[in-house]
Amino acid sequence: AGVADEFTSKLVERMRAHTLGRGTEPSTRMGPLIDESTRAKVHELVEASVASGATLGGSGTHGGDIAIKNGAILAPGNSPGILTTTGTTTLDTGSIFSWELNNNLDGDTANTGDTGVRGTNYDGLTSSSLAVANGAIFRVVLTDAASLTNAFWDANQSWTNIFSVAGTTTNAAFNQLFNSFEVFNGTT
């Protein structure tokens, strides 16, 4: 697993350095897919990978439903950022929602009360609807020397600061969305 983890880490780092955009722009390193059938094939490959336990991460918009199965990880954002899905996002038992909080919070209440900004200081997920099974795991990833004692945690927080859901949210209650938590210092 050591070689695979190192390869994945380096691949993610290189891909994050790519400039996405119109293929006609000189700074663009990666452009859009050529047609709907190619987009559908890539979507199918991503779905199969996530169903096999891969991590689905990044910012932008994912068209359609996302089902994160047991052992798979949904990591929205790009250190940090916001992932938008146009369908239902489902987190099955044993799946992991990996949420990143960085340390851009300095105690200066003039800066948004130092509770942070969704997509800038911490990850966010925007979805048409959200279904979270009992046993899905909420993983807090602290980066840039962030800690559980900074001003973000002193403020009154809500799941709606992280999740923006247009339709229905399925679990016992939105205020008890997850019943299993992990904390990591570093990245996943």
Side-chain angles (χ1 to χ4, degrees):
V3 173
D5 290 342
E6 183 178 346
F7 172 80
T8 300
S9 176
K10 287 182 179 183
L11 178 63
V12 167
E13 181 181 326
R14 299 251 344 220
M15 292 307 295
R16 284 184 175 161
H18 281 290
T19 302
L20 305 178
R22 297 178 70 144
T24 57
E25 297 294 324
S27 63
T28 296
R29 303 309 299 158
M30 187 177 298
L33 298 173
I34 194 159
D35 57 28
E36 177 56 30
S37 66
T38 304
R39 190 216 57 83
K41 179 63 178 167
V42 170
H43 179 79
E44 191 177 293
L45 293 169
V46 168
E47 292 294 314
S49 296
V50 172
S52 299
T55 298
L56 176 61
S59 296
T61 300
H62 175 84
D65 297 339
I66 295 177
I68 308 300
K69 303 294 184 188
N70 182 4
I73 300 171
L74 177 59
N78 189 10
S79 294
I82 297 173
L83 177 66
T84 300
T85 65
T86 61
T88 298
T89 302
T90 303
L91 295 160
D92 287 344
T93 299
S95 67
I96 298 170
F97 182 85
S98 186
W99 178 76
E100 186 177 329
L101 172 68
N102 71 24
N103 197 33
N104 291 340
L105 310 175
D106 59 12
D108 174 9
T109 56
N111 176 16
T112 67
D114 242 8
T115 59
V117 176
R118 181 176 186 265
T120 300
N121 301 105
Y122 55 88
D123 288 330
L125 176 70
T126 299
S127 188
S128 295
S129 60
L130 178 64
V132 180
N134 285 329
I137 300 164
F138 186 85
R139 175 182 290 168
V140 177
V141 180
L142 303 173
T143 61
D144 298 330
S147 73
L148 292 175
T149 60
N150 71 20
F152 177 85
W153 303 105
D154 294 337
N156 189 11
Q157 300 295 339
S158 166
W159 286 117
T160 58
N161 294 357
I162 300 167
F163 299 98
S164 176
V165 181
T168 59
T169 302
T170 308
N171 201 336
F174 195 66
N175 64 349
Q176 298 173 346
L177 202 51
F178 289 87
N179 57 15
S180 195
F181 296 87
E182 300 175 344
V183 177
F184 281 77
N185 286 314
T187 61
T188 61

